[in-house]
Amino acid sequence: GNGGRNLNGRLDGDGIRIEAFEGGRTILGFNIQGNEITSNVLSGIHMNVAADARLNVDITRNLIDGNGTSAAASLADFASGNGILTTENFGAATDRREIGGEWVANTITNNFGRGIRLDGTATNIFNEIADTFTANNLLIGGNLIDSNGFDGILVNGPGRMTIDGNTITNNGVFAGLAAGTKEWTDPKTG
């Protein structure tokens, strides 16, 4: 690998990154709980599934705050500045990919991008499972999602999920930058 550095020599990284490949029917389980995941260059938590990978990730009672470097960087690169980011890659249309779990009681605040960004590149990222598999549900519940640069929650890939009992307030603080209609000062750099 490149030691976590890009070609410009600047440290790039997510706070926690989970990559799952070629898992078949196996569901890989992770618990992320009670952490302070703050001030990372890219996203706080990034989960990527590829080519028949299934994840069940419980994310509970974490502070996910201030990730990314600027609103402009978050606009230019979808992977920058999100509190929680999910992505997928596939090599064949028959590849099965899934991310499920319970994401509850987290504080997801002040990230330069979205609080939570759920992305699928071409097909469903959630529960892309044939009838012979039991698919997981994704529960996003009881979280404080506040003062993120753009959306509180952005869903780009449909699937089976429940969004319930969250406090989602004051998001889109950099939305004027995207529209070019607002003068703003980056609160982290002045």
Side-chain angles (χ1 to χ4, degrees):
N2 62 6
R5 292 187 182 274
N6 70 16
L7 296 178
N8 296 320
R10 185 178 59 113
L11 186 61
D12 284 340
D14 300 300
I16 296 172
R17 185 173 178 115
I18 299 172
E19 294 273 353
F21 302 94
E22 300 290 348
R25 293 176 178 244
T26 304
I27 298 176
L28 302 174
F30 294 88
N31 291 316
I32 301 171
Q33 60 186 27
N35 299 290
E36 291 185 10
I37 305 166
T38 62
S39 303
N40 296 289
V41 172
L42 293 178
S43 292
I45 299 171
H46 183 175
M47 293 164 280
N48 183 60
V49 291
D52 292 324
R54 301 176 73 193
L55 287 174
N56 188 62
V57 181
D58 292 335
I59 302 173
T60 309
R61 295 184 323 275
N62 297 285
L63 171 62
I64 304 169
D65 182 84
N67 294 290
T69 57
S70 70
S74 294
L75 280 173
D77 180 2
F78 77 93
S80 178
N82 301 291
I84 299 173
L85 172 65
T86 63
T87 55
E88 67 174 340
N89 301 94
F90 61 94
T94 57
D95 286 348
R96 297 182 179 105
R97 299 155 314 278
E98 175 183 9
I99 296 176
E102 295 185 359
W103 303 355
V104 297
N106 297 290
T107 300
I108 304 169
T109 53
N110 302 309
N111 296 290
F112 279 99
R114 278 81 182 170
I116 298 174
R117 181 171 178 152
L118 310 171
D119 274 346
T121 57
T123 61
N124 292 353
I125 189 169
F126 307 102
N127 317 114
E128 182 67 25
I129 304 298
D131 293 336
T132 58
F133 289 95
T134 301
N136 288 309
N137 187 54
L138 174 61
L139 168 65
I140 300 172
N143 299 290
L144 172 62
I145 303 171
D146 180 74
S147 298
N148 295 289
F150 297 103
D151 306 299
I153 299 175
L154 173 63
V155 180
N156 283 328
R160 199 170 116 212
M161 71 182 73
T162 303
I163 300 172
D164 182 46
N166 298 285
T167 301
I168 304 172
T169 58
N170 302 314
N171 294 289
V173 296
F174 296 137
L177 174 66
T181 60
K182 181 175 162 185
E183 297 275 334
W184 65 282
T185 301
D186 189 328
K188 297 213 173 168
T189 61

